[in-house]
Amino acid sequence: MAEAMAQTIHRDPQLFYWILFPITVVMILTGVLRHYATVLMATTPKKQDARTLREQRSLMRGMTLRTNASVLAPSSFQARKNYLVSAYQSGAFLKDPDSKGKPPANPMTDPAGMEAMMGMMKGNMAMMIPQTLIMSWINAFFAGFVIMKLPFPLTIRFKSMLQSGVATRDLDVRWVSSLSWYFLNLFGLQSVFIFILGDENAASQMAQQMGQMNPSAQAGMFGPGQDPDKMFQAEAENLEVTEHFYILEGVEDRLLASVA
């Protein structure tokens, strides 16, 4: 059976120095600048009062109890469960017990909600403006170039991802266009940014997107417009339906059986 002929494209070796290398360096420098710009634009978090902290930590206490219930004896788990369920249902941990049953405050009129939305908007600006400029730069100067060939085989499903801007149906899927190299750098430089800036950096595009998908995780347990009482009631239901098993049940007999 005849083997398929390898596809060869004669490329100028200077493409590495004038396209591939500049795009990579610009993407790394842009990520570093985005990190420091985000740090400079970040607002100092306000110190929370004791009642707000108790409200947040109390909900986290119920989640922790469900997660680590197996290390507690049945009597200990039941005592903690009864206490938390009763406190959740009565609203004992609420920062403002008088607001129980009332709709949550409008995020547009809540100062904390406005501050969170302003921080989100600053993050979007620091992420979108540099990428728009780099995309325009690549489309203006490097559109239509095939710059490298991957050394391993790929399926045809990768063609649209690796050959953006190159409208050739018969080109081998392993060839990478300049525009696709930009997208690969956009999502593949996380390890480089961790090496340069550390784990807690704002340069990664993926980390920025995850932060935008879950903004309340950074602001606290309760985001703008959320009702703490409903979250306590939901956690009380979760605790009530939790099936408890004790991981050390009969551990003495199991130990004796293993050494017998």
Side-chain angles (χ1 to χ4, degrees):
M1 186 176 181
E3 296 183 359
M5 183 179 298
Q7 192 176 69
T8 304
I9 297 179
H10 297 284
R11 295 171 295 116
D12 189 345
Q14 296 298 319
L15 290 176
F16 175 83
Y17 301 103
W18 293 103
I19 297 181
L20 189 145
F21 186 70
I23 291 177
T24 305
V25 172
V26 168
M27 292 295 296
I28 295 176
L29 294 178
T30 303
V32 174
L33 291 176
R34 186 195 302 126
H35 166 75
Y36 287 109
T38 304
V39 172
L40 291 175
M41 291 189 299
T43 57
T44 304
K46 295 181 179 180
K47 186 177 181 180
Q48 295 179 330
D49 58 278
R51 297 183 66 88
T52 303
L53 288 174
R54 187 189 68 168
E55 185 180 61
Q56 296 178 358
R57 298 301 184 267
S58 299
L59 182 63
M60 191 181 301
R61 183 179 176 185
M63 299 177 181
T64 305
L65 178 62
R66 288 190 291 110
T67 304
N68 303 296
S70 59
V71 300
L72 295 174
S75 58
S76 300
F77 172 77
Q78 194 64 34
R80 289 170 171 79
K81 172 184 172 181
N82 293 338
Y83 169 73
L84 289 177
V85 169
S86 176
Y88 289 162
Q89 293 176 347
S90 63
F93 295 136
L94 290 175
K95 178 179 64 175
D96 186 10
D98 297 334
S99 63
K100 183 179 180 180
K102 298 180 181 179
N106 188 354
M108 301 301 295
T109 59
D110 185 14
M114 289 295 294
E115 186 176 353
M117 285 187 286
M118 283 296 296
M120 189 185 307
M121 186 176 64
K122 291 178 182 178
N124 284 331
M125 290 178 58
M127 179 175 61
M128 294 302 298
I129 293 178
Q131 301 307 333
T132 303
L133 296 176
I134 295 176
M135 190 76 172
S136 302
W137 171 62
I138 292 176
N139 281 327
F141 294 98
F142 306 130
F145 285 95
V146 177
I147 57 176
M148 63 178 296
K149 184 178 182 180
L150 298 177
F152 47 85
L154 294 170
T155 62
I156 195 62
R157 294 181 180 271
F158 290 90
K159 187 176 182 63
S160 59
M161 181 179 70
L162 296 177
Q163 297 177 4
S164 300
V166 180
T168 52
R169 185 174 56 182
D170 299 330
L171 187 63
D172 190 355
V173 70
R174 291 185 293 172
W175 290 102
V176 180
S177 66
S178 57
L179 189 59
S180 295
W181 181 250
Y182 158 74
F183 286 113
L184 292 175
N185 280 274
L186 188 63
F187 297 102
L189 290 175
Q190 172 67 13
S191 300
V192 177
F193 292 139
I194 291 177
F195 177 75
I196 298 174
L197 302 170
D199 293 334
E200 300 295 333
N201 67 81
S204 172
Q205 182 84 2
M206 189 64 68
Q208 289 278 349
Q209 290 184 354
M210 293 298 292
Q212 299 300 327
M213 291 172 59
N214 191 16
S216 62
Q218 301 175 358
M221 294 293 297
F222 305 107
Q226 292 182 331
D227 189 358
D229 183 58
K230 290 184 178 179
M231 298 182 69
F232 279 131
Q233 299 299 331
E235 185 60 29
E237 293 180 3
N238 292 335
L239 282 173
E240 287 181 337
V241 300
T242 299
E243 296 183 2
H244 177 258
F245 70 95
Y246 186 34
I247 196 172
L248 298 179
E249 183 71 31
V251 64
E252 299 90 350
D253 297 335
R254 283 182 283 162
L255 179 60
L256 293 176
S258 63
V259 298

